[in-house]
Amino acid sequence: MKNILALFKNFMHPAGIAGIIIAALIPFLIYLAPNVGEKEFIRVLDLKLPLPLFLVQFCSMVILFGFLFRDFRSYIKEHLPPKPFIILTVLFALGATLFAGSQIEARHRVQSDESVFMAIAQNMYFNQTTGTCDEGEFEKGKLNCFKDSDSFKTKGLSFLYLLGMPFFGPDLHWIFHCELAMLFFAALLLFFAIRAWTSDDLMSALTSILLFAQPTVLFQFRSMSVEPLYIFLSALSLWVLKWAFDRNTLRHWILCALVLGFFAQTRQETVFCFLAFLVVALPKILDKKDLKAPAFFVTLSLFSVPILITISYFQGYGFQGGQYSAHGHFIENLKSNWEVMTKPLSDSGLLANPFLSSFNWLFLLGLVILAALVAKELLSKNYGTNTKTAGFLLLYHIQTYMILENVSGDFNIEINQRYALVMMPTMAFLAAFGIRKLLNVAYFLAGKTNLQNDFKANFAVTLILSVIVCGNTLGYKESFNKNIMYNRNHLTTEEVEIWKWLNQQPKKPRLFVYGRPWHFVAYGQSAIHYNRARQISKDSLQSLIQKYDGEVYYIRGLDCWDSKTYHAKAVEHRIPTTCDIFEREVKLEDVYQVLITRNYWVTIKKISTRRNYDPEKLFAFGFWQGEPSTQTFIFNSSEYFGTEAPWKIRFTLNGDSIYAKPYQAGDYSDTLTGPVLKPGYNKLEADIYDSTTSESVAHIENYRFFRFEGALELSQMQPTAHKQAWGNLSKNASVEGHAFTLNGKKFTEGFGVHASSETHFDLQGKFERLTAIVGLDEESLCSDGIAYKVFGDGKLLYQNPNVTIGKLDSLNVIVHGVRELLISTDSLSNKNCDHVDIVHPTLFPSGKVDLKSEVK
């Protein structure tokens, strides 16, 4: 206690008192401001202040390092590890970089977060503001940002992107290469940082090798994620702290504070690890009454302002988890995350999650050993290196508690697995620590004195362990090749598919209308939101299309689909209604469509013009009937929209044209001679088109069943027996109770099942033929396909071994004399989303049926 009081007495001089007051006032006033009515002021600071502060911080670090460069060289030489360990670590870092670059696809980890960092960088570069540019146009080498938004994301990574943009340009795809290069330097830096503090070559090399052999880490360094920067700056901060600790000069401590201040700009929670660094620094910066302590504290406080402003502005903002509330689940998340990180292989032999369970168990071993050693020191009241190490780690990982307690820190949500990188450097260190202690025990039992002093044995063991660790990781090469960290992240897959299409197009200016336009702005592409596009008048839209020479595109992506397809803890938004309305208001031309991980379609359409009508309300079928014997056909209709445009309406029955007439408003009815209705399902179509251009304006279809000549809907029969793998048999609806949707078409009659299933009917030998349309419903697109069979009295009548999404099968099979009909479905490699629709199942006592008109 006396030593602590003596240290704090060294604050008691004018500069020390002023420094500590200023350093404390900065975060206090920033946090207080929104609570006393100054939230708007903080918002303005959040948009305007970070960039100039970053520039001052960066220049200060460069200048200070220039002054200290001779000392830096001298310090490196003093603490240089033996050459074999340096060579081993360099070779490993190079190998890990080459492996990641050649075996892992470069792509986003979580699209929205990463594109926000990029969109902030674009705004920094072109408009000198640190808001996210949500919507904007690139014109004449400048970004005209229509909408800025405050972002709870940190700004440090965006600033680094800004520094590269004058050299590499605003198309930020080059960042993937930079992040990969960072992997190499981070692996080396971590080795040198641990070595500087421990002087243990084996433990230092093994810490770096264990960390950078982890799948999650390698995946992150092939993305544009902020977590790789976190690992790099955590190692840099640890090394600079040791340099300042040993040299103990004013310049060294100011440089340390500048580095720590920038380290805080990686994640909001990072600022909470400062206490660990301060506890280490205090005995040195307070060893006498000088300027070290006030300069260190003021510098650290001042250059932490960007993240402090962001935290202050968003305090109390419940952006995580919506109604679920993702906060307050620390113990629950800790338990479930351990289960995720130690989950065994999947059935296919791939890693179930991008974690190696062996790494986690080694970490646990090291943690137990450290805890035992700390307990021993505490009992003997001899607070040695182990206690100090444990104390530093506990204070450092206050940030981990903040992550798991205050955000959606559940690793069952794939995009949250990046949070593991905050913990993994410590996990790697403890794993290496545990291995070191066990090796020391084994060496002692073998009659040797100290393994750490036996250089040859030390290096040999390190080499052997390195080969084992790397070999274990290489054994999961297929898991890396198949991007297991991304295979459930639909938004990142969507981005990849969009850019695959875009990269095949000629380079020219384009404008995209999209639910997350900042994704495009981030890469230097003009983009606006659906809502902004809806507000543009018809003439303004035409001017915009002319401005871009027709290159204006609408993209229907993830946000436009079912609002219930995301995790309750995740931060997601769905706007399907907005997309549906936009598609009715604007005339679109199909350009490209791709199925995203069998869950939903991404469609790209070119915008032609704005409609002044709703195509869904142009026409509606009323009643229609007829008799085959008289060859008459009677129908009436309701037309809701009057227009002076040269439109016509053409009617088609079962694929055969009936006639066309001018389109007009009001009800309409007619009796026709000639068109013949057939037994079973008939399809009547109305096609409204422009008579001058022959362009289709709207297309409406209607099905009606006629029980001519004994035709009967199979769905009207009660099954004699039925079973299925999931859910229940659903009549006239899909297995989830929705209207049938097959290959983009809507149907209303039939039955829905989930494969595998068996449905039995008693036909009593009365029928000659069975027809139907069979397919997978698009309410859930993640099926890998199904097989189905039709049996009559136990005899196989028909089978299709592979029915996939978007492919319909026309069933037309003879059931002459069959009493027991069985329709069975089976899953293929998995049973996910095997929602089978059997649409328009019809039984005919005789005759021949043509289904062409039904499946067009």
Side-chain angles (χ1 to χ4, degrees):
M1 181 60 71
K2 289 181 180 179
N3 291 335
I4 295 175
L5 291 175
L7 286 175
F8 280 96
K9 282 182 180 179
N10 289 330
F11 263 131
M12 298 298 105
H13 59 95
I17 295 171
I20 196 66
I21 291 174
I22 293 171
L25 270 178
I26 290 173
F28 174 74
L29 292 176
I30 289 174
Y31 194 79
L32 179 66
N35 299 292
V36 293
E38 296 298 331
K39 187 167 186 175
E40 178 60 20
F41 175 68
I42 293 296
R43 188 189 73 83
V44 173
L45 286 183
D46 193 38
L47 293 174
K48 301 296 183 182
L49 187 57
L51 181 56
L53 267 180
F54 285 150
L55 289 169
V56 172
Q57 186 176 17
F58 178 75
C59 292
S60 299
M61 283 192 287
V62 171
I63 293 169
L64 256 181
F65 184 76
F67 282 123
L68 295 171
F69 184 71
R70 286 186 178 180
D71 181 70
F72 169 75
R73 287 193 306 177
S74 172
Y75 188 78
I76 288 291
K77 289 179 180 178
E78 292 170 18
H79 294 82
L80 204 62
K83 282 186 178 179
F85 280 94
I86 295 176
I87 293 170
L88 175 64
T89 309
V90 169
L91 289 176
F92 167 76
L94 183 61
T97 304
L98 292 174
F99 177 81
S102 61
Q103 303 303 317
I104 304 175
E105 182 182 0
R107 59 190 289 182
H108 280 309
R109 175 264 312 155
V110 51
Q111 171 60 277
S112 286
D113 286 9
E114 294 172 16
S115 57
V116 164
F117 293 127
M118 296 159 66
I120 292 173
Q122 299 283 4
N123 234 352
M124 281 185 178
Y125 183 69
F126 288 104
N127 300 313
Q128 294 75 57
T129 180
T130 49
T132 307
C133 183
D134 289 334
E135 304 175 73
E137 283 189 81
F138 290 86
E139 301 179 87
K140 299 178 180 179
K142 294 183 179 179
L143 170 61
N144 179 17
C145 189
F146 304 142
K147 182 184 177 184
D148 281 328
S149 69
D150 303 281
S151 173
F152 52 81
K153 301 299 177 187
T154 51
K155 314 295 193 301
L157 186 61
S158 302
F159 176 71
L160 294 182
Y161 293 166
L162 165 72
L163 295 180
M165 289 174 72
F167 306 99
F168 306 115
D171 182 349
L172 297 181
H173 278 96
W174 53 263
I175 298 168
F176 286 117
H177 303 297
C178 293
E179 295 256 0
L180 187 60
M182 194 190 299
L183 190 161
F184 175 80
F185 292 108
L188 292 180
L189 191 55
L190 182 63
F191 166 67
F192 282 105
I194 300 298
R195 177 60 173 59
W197 282 100
T198 65
S199 299
D200 190 322
D201 300 318
L202 181 151
M203 194 160 66
S204 304
L206 203 55
T207 297
S208 182
I209 290 167
L210 281 168
L211 178 62
F212 288 92
Q214 299 313 305
T216 310
V217 175
L218 294 173
F219 274 121
Q220 295 293 322
F221 275 92
R222 289 300 281 139
S223 71
M224 294 184 182
S225 173
V226 72
E227 280 72 29
L229 179 63
Y230 171 90
I231 286 183
F232 179 87
L233 288 177
S234 65
L236 179 63
S237 299
L238 200 60
W239 188 90
V240 173
L241 176 66
K242 179 61 174 173
W243 185 22
F245 187 89
D246 289 345
R247 293 306 199 226
N248 199 26
T249 72
L250 177 64
R251 288 179 178 177
H252 286 86
W253 283 114
I254 291 177
L255 180 62
C256 182
L258 287 169
V259 171
L260 281 174
F262 196 73
F263 178 38
Q265 312 306 320
T266 52
R267 294 190 53 87
Q268 283 192 16
E269 301 83 11
T270 305
V271 72
F272 293 99
C273 77
F274 278 1
L275 188 57
F277 290 90
L278 294 179
V279 168
V280 173
L282 278 175
K284 289 289 186 175
I285 60 177
L286 289 176
D287 60 348
K288 56 186 175 181
K289 292 181 179 180
D290 60 11
L291 295 178
K292 293 198 302 289
F296 179 79
F297 282 117
V298 171
T299 302
L300 183 60
S301 183
L302 176 62
F303 290 103
S304 298
V305 163
I307 189 59
L308 295 176
I309 292 172
T310 302
I311 292 173
S312 176
Y313 182 73
F314 285 98
Q315 59 182 286
Y317 179 56
F319 60 86
Q320 290 280 356
Q323 293 181 349
Y324 177 91
S325 177
H327 312 286
H329 299 277
F330 176 71
I331 300 298
E332 173 192 334
N333 288 338
L334 206 59
K335 180 176 179 294
S336 66
N337 292 353
W338 179 260
E339 292 172 354
V340 168
M341 295 175 72
T342 55
K343 193 171 182 178
L345 298 179
S346 64
D347 294 339
S348 61
L350 300 178
L351 290 169
N353 291 294
F355 301 101
L356 299 179
S357 56
S358 57
F359 174 76
N360 302 296
W361 293 114
L362 285 171
F363 149 70
L364 190 60
L365 172 69
L367 181 63
V368 170
I369 292 175
L370 178 62
L373 293 173
V374 169
K376 181 181 177 181
E377 290 180 359
L378 292 177
L379 288 172
S380 64
K381 295 184 180 181
N382 178 21
Y383 310 131
T385 303
N386 294 316
T387 302
K388 293 175 182 177
T389 300
F392 178 86
L393 294 179
L394 282 172
L395 294 175
Y396 184 86
H397 283 288
I398 293 174
Q399 61 177 319
T400 301
Y401 169 78
M402 299 299 292
I403 291 171
L404 298 184
E405 176 71 9
N406 290 299
V407 300
S408 302
D410 184 350
F411 290 0
N412 286 296
I413 307 171
E414 188 182 52
I415 62 173
N416 291 345
Q417 292 172 1
R418 69 194 190 276
Y419 299 155
L421 268 71
V422 176
M423 312 159 204
M424 279 191 159
T426 295
M427 293 176 70
F429 169 75
L430 287 175
F433 176 84
I435 292 171
R436 159 59 80 194
K437 294 303 180 184
L438 289 180
L439 287 172
N440 286 346
V441 171
Y443 203 69
F444 175 78
L445 293 175
K448 306 291 184 179
T449 54
N450 193 334
L451 173 61
Q452 196 165 342
N453 294 332
D454 188 337
F455 172 78
K456 290 184 178 180
N458 219 26
F459 180 73
V461 171
T462 305
L463 184 60
I464 292 169
L465 291 174
S466 301
V467 171
I468 293 172
V469 169
C470 295
N472 185 43
T473 299
L474 290 172
Y476 297 104
K477 179 176 174 292
E478 187 180 2
S479 296
F480 291 99
N481 296 159
K482 293 191 175 180
N483 288 309
I484 60 165
M485 195 169 187
Y486 307 105
N487 60 7
R488 296 188 300 275
N489 193 331
H490 302 153
L491 198 57
T492 62
T493 306
E494 176 178 313
E495 188 249 0
V496 167
E497 293 297 336
I498 291 171
W499 278 95
K500 277 183 184 177
W501 168 80
L502 191 54
N503 288 333
Q504 294 172 356
Q505 310 307 309
K507 300 293 183 184
K508 59 174 67 175
R510 292 181 175 87
L511 175 71
F512 294 92
V513 178
Y514 189 46
R516 305 185 188 217
W518 62 90
H519 289 198
F520 284 97
V521 173
Y523 283 114
Q525 297 279 344
S526 302
I528 58 177
H529 193 271
Y530 305 130
N531 289 331
R532 182 177 295 274
R534 287 189 62 205
Q535 295 166 3
I536 298 173
S537 67
K538 185 174 182 178
D539 290 342
S540 297
L541 181 60
Q542 289 305 123
S543 297
L544 199 60
I545 292 171
Q546 185 176 3
K547 174 182 175 181
Y548 283 92
D549 195 25
E551 297 293 318
V552 179
Y553 295 90
Y554 161 78
I555 298 181
R556 183 183 180 103
L558 176 67
D559 294 331
C560 296
W561 294 82
D562 184 3
S563 60
K564 297 180 180 179
T565 57
Y566 58 95
H567 197 289
K569 290 185 184 179
V571 185
E572 294 287 358
H573 305 282
R574 301 286 187 270
I575 49 175
T577 303
T578 300
C579 302
D580 294 341
I581 293 172
F582 183 80
E583 289 173 18
R584 295 201 299 268
E585 292 177 340
V586 177
K587 189 173 182 180
L588 303 166
E589 300 174 12
D590 291 338
V591 173
Y592 181 71
Q593 177 173 282
V594 62
L595 187 62
I596 301 298
T597 59
R598 300 193 304 274
N599 278 77
Y600 67 94
W601 295 99
V602 162
T603 56
I604 301 176
K605 299 174 184 278
K606 186 175 285 190
I607 298 176
S608 298
T609 186
R610 179 176 293 283
R611 294 187 175 107
N612 58 348
Y613 58 87
D614 186 339
E616 291 192 359
K617 295 182 179 179
L618 290 181
F619 186 86
F621 282 107
F623 179 75
W624 50 287
Q625 65 178 11
E627 292 292 337
S629 58
T630 60
Q631 294 192 346
T632 58
F633 176 55
I634 304 170
F635 75 96
N636 64 51
S637 62
S638 299
E639 300 159 1
Y640 294 102
F641 183 77
T643 177
E644 296 180 0
W647 288 355
K648 285 190 174 183
I649 184 166
R650 178 170 44 225
F651 295 99
T652 306
L653 178 64
N654 295 328
D656 297 324
S657 178
I658 303 174
Y659 77 110
K661 73 180 189 72
Y663 176 86
Q664 59 189 31
D667 294 340
Y668 174 76
S669 63
D670 203 353
T671 301
L672 305 176
T673 301
V676 178
L677 293 168
K678 65 181 182 180
Y681 285 95
N682 289 256
K683 180 168 71 171
L684 181 61
E685 301 169 83
D687 183 48
I688 303 170
Y689 64 98
D690 189 317
S691 61
T692 59
T693 63
S694 298
E695 285 186 281
S696 178
V697 176
H699 184 82
I700 304 95
E701 297 181 358
N702 191 265
Y703 288 94
R704 197 68 54 85
F705 190 89
F706 292 95
R707 292 187 176 180
F708 304 149
E709 303 171 11
L712 179 68
E713 307 100 302
L714 179 64
S715 54
Q716 294 300 313
M717 279 190 173
Q718 184 68 29
T720 56
H722 176 78
K723 64 179 181 180
Q724 64 186 58
W726 177 87
N728 299 303
L729 176 71
S730 184
K731 180 181 176 181
N732 295 335
S734 70
V735 73
E736 288 190 359
H738 303 131
F740 301 115
T741 305
L742 294 171
N743 202 19
K745 302 280 188 181
K746 298 290 185 182
F747 300 90
T748 59
E749 297 183 20
F751 55 91
V753 299
H754 192 294
S756 57
S757 69
E758 291 184 3
T759 311
H760 299 257
F761 297 92
D762 183 8
L763 302 188
Q764 301 178 3
K766 295 180 178 180
F767 299 95
E768 179 74 18
R769 188 173 297 274
L770 168 67
T771 66
I773 303 169
V774 180
L776 285 162
D777 199 286
E778 293 177 10
E779 68 187 356
S780 190
L781 298 168
C782 53
S783 173
D784 65 345
I786 60 101
Y788 82 96
K789 298 177 181 179
V790 179
F791 295 90
D793 296 328
K795 180 181 177 181
L796 180 63
L797 304 178
Y798 178 82
Q799 64 176 328
N800 187 326
N802 191 13
V803 177
T804 56
I805 291 289
K807 294 183 179 180
L808 306 185
D809 190 48
S810 297
L811 175 64
N812 191 340
V813 62
I814 294 174
V815 291
H816 178 75
V818 169
R819 299 191 64 84
E820 183 187 20
L821 176 73
L822 167 61
I823 301 176
S824 71
T825 66
D826 289 296
S827 298
L828 298 184
S829 60
N830 67 70
K831 65 179 182 180
N832 296 332
C833 310
D834 288 343
H835 298 192
V836 185
D837 295 341
I838 301 173
V839 170
H840 294 177
T842 307
L843 291 165
F844 298 91
S846 63
K848 187 177 180 181
V849 178
D850 179 12
L851 280 186
K852 290 181 180 178
S853 61
E854 290 201 30
V855 296
K856 276 185 179 179

